[in-house]
Amino acid sequence: MLQYLLPILAVIVGAALVLLTRKKAYFNFKLLLAFSGAFLLALTLFELLPEVYAHLDPKQTGLYIMFGILIQIILEFFSKGAEHGHVHVHTDGEDFPWALFISLCIHSFLEGFPIHEHNDMVYGILIHKIPIATVITGFLIHSKFSKIQVISFLVIFASMTPLGTYISNHVSIFAEYISVINAIVIGIFLHISTTILFESGEGHKFNLTKLIAIVLGIAAAYMI
Ligand SMILES: [Zn+2]
Ligand SMILES: [Zn+2]
């Protein structure tokens, strides 16, 4: 049950963070983002990567992972980087950001697949989703969309990951190819987590707190 609830909880926590820290500076957002990137990357390397290599041919696995990286690159043409912590969509009017919405939903749906019972990946996705939900909620609140549009966006976005998990567990064709899909999702995770770490660099300036957040993310993934 936790595997379905935690990704939804992440969106609630992320949205609540925006509402609670409104007007205050985003003092810990970048640290949370750096921690989440390191945590997701380390969990992917510790848990997910060895598993797919054990089930699939090594070269094919590499190909699927590269395919996942390509999918995420394409998704980010549309989402403008929302999966790794910022939104550049400019909406002066009331046009609903369909491209952002659909690409985020595809991304969230796919990341539901590697979550199984006895799989710690759900914690990686929990931590990864909180800053993403914060960014999305902040963007939606400052837009001119109606309350119903904002709430529908968040509810559908929140339900995509559990939907992916449910389908991976209950639809036999997906269960059969779970290692292939997991390899593709590894590519997605590698791309977003390394982008988060890269973008948190800010011109290669040394930042001790950020470095500590990254080391803590790795350590937490190791000990989980
Ligand atoms: Zn970016
Ligand atoms: Zn994601």
Side-chain angles (χ1 to χ4, degrees):
M1 206 52 206
L2 221 56
Q3 58 189 12
Y4 294 105
L5 291 179
L6 287 181
I8 297 173
L9 179 72
V11 176
I12 295 170
V13 171
L17 275 177
V18 176
L19 301 174
L20 294 174
T21 60
R22 232 176 173 179
K23 304 227 160 75
K24 274 184 223 157
Y26 267 11
F27 61 98
N28 50 13
F29 176 75
K30 288 200 163 157
L31 285 184
L32 175 66
L33 193 63
F35 176 86
S36 76
F39 186 65
L40 184 65
L41 178 59
L43 262 189
T44 304
L45 298 179
F46 298 152
E47 303 255 330
L48 219 48
L49 197 63
E51 206 188 289
V52 289
Y53 273 102
H55 288 103
L56 300 169
D57 167 74
K59 194 162 183 183
Q60 264 183 7
T61 310
L63 201 61
Y64 295 133
I65 293 173
M66 288 309 302
F67 184 57
I69 291 176
L70 280 177
I71 289 180
Q72 187 57 38
I73 289 173
I74 293 168
L75 287 176
E76 284 176 14
F77 287 141
F78 300 103
S79 69
K80 309 291 176 205
E83 298 94 335
H84 63 254
H86 56 83
V87 179
H88 292 299
V89 183
H90 297 292
T91 44
D92 333 310
E94 278 106 52
D95 291 342
F96 193 77
W98 284 107
L100 167 73
F101 178 67
I102 293 169
S103 54
L104 257 184
C105 283
I106 295 173
H107 169 91
S108 302
F109 175 70
L110 286 173
E111 73 189 359
F113 279 81
I115 302 176
H116 295 289
E117 240 156 346
H118 319 299
N119 195 323
D120 296 329
M121 278 319 291
V122 70
Y123 299 107
I125 288 162
L126 168 80
I127 300 297
H128 152 63
K129 256 190 189 316
I130 292 173
I132 309 308
T134 304
V135 165
I136 295 298
T137 310
F139 163 72
L140 290 173
I141 279 181
H142 292 109
S143 69
K144 290 173 186 157
F145 310 132
S146 66
K147 273 212 175 79
I148 298 180
Q149 278 177 313
V150 171
I151 292 168
S152 317
F153 189 121
L154 290 173
V155 167
I156 297 172
F157 166 62
S159 53
M160 290 315 281
T161 301
L163 181 69
T165 307
Y166 183 84
I167 287 178
S168 76
N169 284 324
H170 293 93
V171 179
S172 58
I173 179 86
F174 288 110
E176 217 171 293
Y177 289 101
I178 190 69
S179 294
V180 172
I181 299 169
N182 281 353
I184 294 171
V185 177
I186 288 171
I188 291 176
F189 286 165
L190 287 180
H191 185 270
I192 53 170
S193 55
T194 48
T195 307
I196 289 170
L197 294 181
F198 171 74
E199 288 186 353
S200 76
E202 277 171 59
H204 307 284
K205 260 180 262 148
F206 183 72
N207 185 331
L208 184 63
T209 26
K210 227 164 244 174
L211 195 65
I212 291 172
I214 291 168
V215 172
L216 283 178
I218 300 167
Y222 188 80
M223 288 182 295
I224 208 167

